[in-house]
Amino acid sequence: MSATSVFKPWVPNWAIIAILFFCMLHSMVLLGVYTSNITYSASFLDVEAEDLQFSLCVTYGTFLATILIESRLFKFFPPKKYFLVIYSLAALTFVFNVYTENFSLFIILRMAEGVLMALPWIPLRQLLITRFKSKNAVIIGFTINYSALLLASPFIMNIAVWLLENYDWSYMAYGSAIFQILCVGLVMLTFNDTRFHKKMPLYQIDWASYVLILTSILCGTYFLIYGEKKYWFDSSQITLALIIAMITGGLFVMRQILVKRPSLDMNVFRFANLRTGFFMFLLFYIARATLNMCHSTMHMVWNWEPSRVAHVQYLNLAGNIIGMIFAAIMAAKGVASKIIFIIGFSIFAIYHFWFTFLFVPDASLYDIALPYILQGVAVGTLFVPLVLFTVSSVPDKYAPFAGVIGVSGRFWGSTIGFCIIQNTQVYLQRIHFTKLSQFVIPEDPETQNRIEQITKNFIAKGYNSDDAYKLAFKQLTGSVSKQSILLSNMEIFTIIGYGLAALVVFLLVNRHLKQTFDIFKNRVWGS
């Protein structure tokens, strides 16, 4: 079947590329609209910040499970009807969310959104790649595909912050629903009723494997997100979640080994470079999680307004664009993946070491701009090459399974990264707050002088002496808390910086990366 035939003949190629890119943003809207500003969204939904993080992981985890069965569904339906149903249902889920006050029901809707996010993701990328006749079509297609994933976040956050500050949380959901309706209109306008693949039956979908892996993912996510909040194994819920995750995960693996047509062929793990790619994805996303520490510092320590924090992310966006263009050019020129990884992770390490010295009580945009952009450059440089490296590290028949492993690396890397950062911050901040508090006891003469000075400042503003004293002591305690946050951030950034430097050394001595690049080059260029 000609790839061109799924589009109406009057639609120019440049318009098809633009429409496919726009429709790809559907997945980012589903994934990030409620977590673009967790603090604001949590207050409007009357839930904790961890609950919203869990809802994000539920959507992403359902996405991961669904891509195991997505190809069967896409091959059964004509593309036009397939996309129309998906975008229409996505719009309905956003409308339902507006009227949903029960968090359990909200989580069910987020699971549905994870399914709707996964179904069009790979088909849109396949259609996009067919629009390029260049020998670099795969590189261009993957770059556009994953640039939608990277670049949409700052835009979504800025729109969400503006809506939350000027209107109501429901407007954010309604706006997301309107976006889905626009996608429906574009599909109706440009697609015809022709099939992209030969029709395949649905009876071969392994629903048992789907239920097992989805249960394992959701329970494992619950364990990682809520573990610290519920005091880990002191909670029967956390213990039960881990047991269920391990049992269902084990049953899923056993089933894949025993069935004739597995959803995920376990033989894919026999290839060393796939394991290397998965490992690098984990480290990449754990290191990427530190960017949220920068944003929380801007808000909690430097007292920047949410709108300013949102606007600053455009600097990081500029870095992403620079990095992706740089990586695409190097890949097109045949530069080995190993060199790209060394450059990208080296920049990532520099960002962490540099930002370590910027965790001070007050900082200006001028101080943080360059390392903040460098973080974006590092992410942009690494993201697409990591995807291509993982997919091309196995023979052709295992390529779809390698893609799933890459997505699982991104999912578990981001989830484990959140867990590690959250728990490490709580542990280090508790230690530093305890130590620093020893120097601000009321009996200490220096502390008394500081409290007295601050109290006078509050009295001068019109407070009575009792209230002024309470506010002074509260401000002093707040200063200690902020200092403990800064010290903890410095230590975390330093440790991750050394970890990234160690990874660069590993890449320098690894002998298998060059071989994988040669395999990828032969597939793309046929030489």
Side-chain angles (χ1 to χ4, degrees):
M1 183 68 65
S2 172
T4 309
S5 63
V6 300
F7 300 99
K8 294 180 179 178
W10 62 266
V11 185
N13 192 56
W14 64 265
I16 292 173
I17 294 173
I19 289 168
L20 290 174
F21 177 80
F22 184 84
C23 291
M24 283 178 179
L25 299 179
H26 146 91
S27 296
M28 261 319 300
V29 173
L30 286 171
L31 184 64
V33 68
Y34 302 111
T35 50
S36 53
N37 192 302
I38 289 180
T39 303
Y40 270 36
S41 298
S43 64
F44 278 97
L45 286 170
D46 194 26
V47 295
E48 299 293 331
E50 290 87 356
D51 296 328
L52 268 186
Q53 181 66 34
F54 178 66
S55 76
L56 168 67
C57 292
V58 164
T59 304
Y60 205 167
T62 308
F63 169 88
L64 171 58
T66 305
I67 61 174
L68 292 172
I69 62 172
E70 164 277 323
S71 63
R72 286 281 177 184
L73 293 169
F74 181 57
K75 291 175 182 177
F76 182 79
F77 298 100
K80 182 177 180 178
K81 294 180 180 178
Y82 182 80
F83 291 128
L84 285 177
V85 171
I86 289 171
Y87 292 127
S88 299
L89 290 175
L92 285 176
T93 61
F94 281 117
V95 174
F96 289 152
N97 280 331
V98 175
Y99 301 99
T100 302
E101 296 181 358
N102 183 282
F103 184 70
S104 298
L105 182 57
F106 177 72
I107 290 297
I108 293 174
L109 289 171
R110 291 297 280 161
M111 288 179 63
E113 289 166 358
V115 174
L116 296 171
M117 172 184 166
L119 294 179
W121 182 251
I122 297 176
L124 286 172
R125 187 174 68 202
Q126 289 176 333
L127 291 172
L128 183 66
I129 290 174
T130 64
R131 308 315 303 173
F132 299 100
K133 307 306 179 184
S134 166
K135 66 177 183 179
N136 298 316
V138 174
I139 295 174
I140 296 171
F142 272 75
T143 300
I144 294 176
N145 184 224
Y146 287 98
S147 67
L149 188 64
L150 279 181
L151 305 184
S153 297
F155 291 106
I156 292 174
M157 180 172 182
N158 276 275
I159 293 171
V161 168
W162 182 81
L163 286 171
L164 291 172
E165 287 186 341
N166 294 279
Y167 297 98
D168 187 76
W169 177 83
S170 60
Y171 282 83
M172 192 166 66
Y174 283 131
S176 301
I178 291 172
F179 180 88
Q180 309 302 320
I181 294 172
L182 289 174
C183 290
V184 169
L186 290 172
V187 171
M188 292 183 66
L189 183 66
T190 58
F191 280 71
N192 58 36
D193 294 321
T194 308
R195 288 185 172 275
F196 186 69
H197 291 286
K198 181 181 178 181
K199 185 176 181 179
M200 298 186 68
L202 292 178
Y203 67 86
Q204 292 180 344
I205 293 179
D206 190 355
W207 293 109
S209 294
Y210 179 73
V211 172
L212 286 172
I213 192 59
L214 181 59
T215 303
S216 181
I217 289 171
L218 296 181
C219 290
T221 297
Y222 186 89
F223 172 80
L224 291 171
I225 298 298
Y226 289 107
E228 190 276 331
K229 187 178 181 65
K230 294 180 179 291
Y231 301 102
W232 295 107
F233 295 108
D234 290 341
S235 168
S236 59
Q237 293 177 336
I238 295 298
T239 304
L240 182 62
L242 179 61
I243 292 173
I244 294 174
M246 294 177 67
I247 291 175
T248 53
L251 290 174
F252 172 80
V253 173
M254 289 177 59
R255 183 173 176 81
Q256 304 319 297
I257 295 173
L258 296 175
V259 297
K260 183 179 179 180
R261 282 183 290 268
S263 299
L264 179 63
D265 195 328
M266 291 293 129
N267 288 320
V268 75
F269 288 103
R270 292 192 292 109
F271 300 93
N273 275 345
L274 180 112
R275 299 193 297 270
T276 301
F278 180 77
F279 174 70
M280 286 195 293
F281 259 125
L282 286 176
L283 292 181
F284 171 75
Y285 267 85
I286 291 172
R288 193 182 174 206
T290 59
L291 188 64
N292 290 328
M293 296 171 61
C294 299
H295 296 155
S296 63
T297 301
M298 294 173 189
H299 178 68
M300 297 174 61
V301 179
W302 300 338
N303 299 319
W304 290 9
E305 294 294 326
S307 57
R308 187 184 184 191
V309 176
H311 294 336
V312 166
Q313 293 192 34
Y314 284 125
L315 291 176
N316 192 256
L317 173 68
N320 289 153
I321 295 172
I322 294 170
M324 283 189 293
I325 294 174
F326 175 66
I329 292 173
M330 286 196 295
K333 288 183 177 296
V335 177
S337 301
K338 178 176 179 178
I339 303 301
I340 299 174
F341 294 153
I342 290 172
I343 294 172
F345 281 112
S346 296
I347 297 173
F348 226 162
I350 292 170
Y351 149 73
H352 280 87
F353 287 130
W354 192 338
F355 226 100
T356 299
F357 300 99
L358 298 176
F359 287 116
V360 292
D362 191 21
S364 66
L365 180 59
Y366 176 81
D367 296 326
I368 70 162
L370 189 53
Y372 192 69
I373 293 173
L374 280 181
Q375 197 275 353
V377 173
V379 170
T381 301
L382 291 168
F383 198 22
V384 175
L386 273 174
V387 174
L388 293 173
F389 172 79
T390 305
V391 172
S392 62
S393 62
V394 299
D396 287 337
K397 67 176 182 177
Y398 293 115
F401 305 122
V404 173
I405 299 303
V407 174
S408 66
R410 296 195 292 276
F411 170 73
W412 288 115
S414 59
T415 304
I416 293 172
F418 173 84
C419 178
I420 291 174
I421 296 299
Q422 180 194 46
N423 285 275
T424 306
Q425 280 185 303
V426 170
Y427 174 75
L428 292 177
Q429 287 175 21
R430 186 183 298 124
I431 291 176
H432 290 305
F433 185 83
T434 301
K435 290 182 177 180
L436 293 172
S437 296
Q438 297 174 1
F439 299 98
V440 293
I441 56 176
E443 294 78 11
D444 183 71
E446 184 177 348
T447 302
Q448 291 178 356
N449 291 334
R450 292 185 62 186
I451 292 177
E452 182 180 353
Q453 183 60 47
I454 298 172
T455 301
K456 290 179 180 178
N457 293 337
F458 279 115
I459 291 175
K461 295 179 181 179
Y463 292 92
N464 60 51
S465 57
D466 289 339
D467 290 340
Y469 180 81
K470 292 177 182 178
L471 289 170
F473 196 79
K474 183 178 180 180
Q475 180 175 316
L476 191 61
T477 304
S479 299
V480 174
S481 178
K482 289 181 178 180
Q483 192 64 42
S484 66
I485 292 174
L486 294 172
L487 290 172
S488 301
N489 290 354
M490 291 174 67
E491 292 178 355
I492 292 171
F493 267 65
T494 301
I495 292 171
I496 292 180
Y498 280 123
L500 292 169
L503 178 59
V504 170
V505 174
F506 166 78
L507 293 173
L508 286 169
V509 300
N510 187 284
R511 297 181 179 180
H512 300 287
L513 296 176
K514 176 67 166 60
Q515 179 183 357
T516 296
F517 175 74
D518 291 337
I519 295 173
F520 169 68
K521 184 172 65 174
N522 292 337
R523 289 184 188 170
V524 175
W525 291 290
S527 59

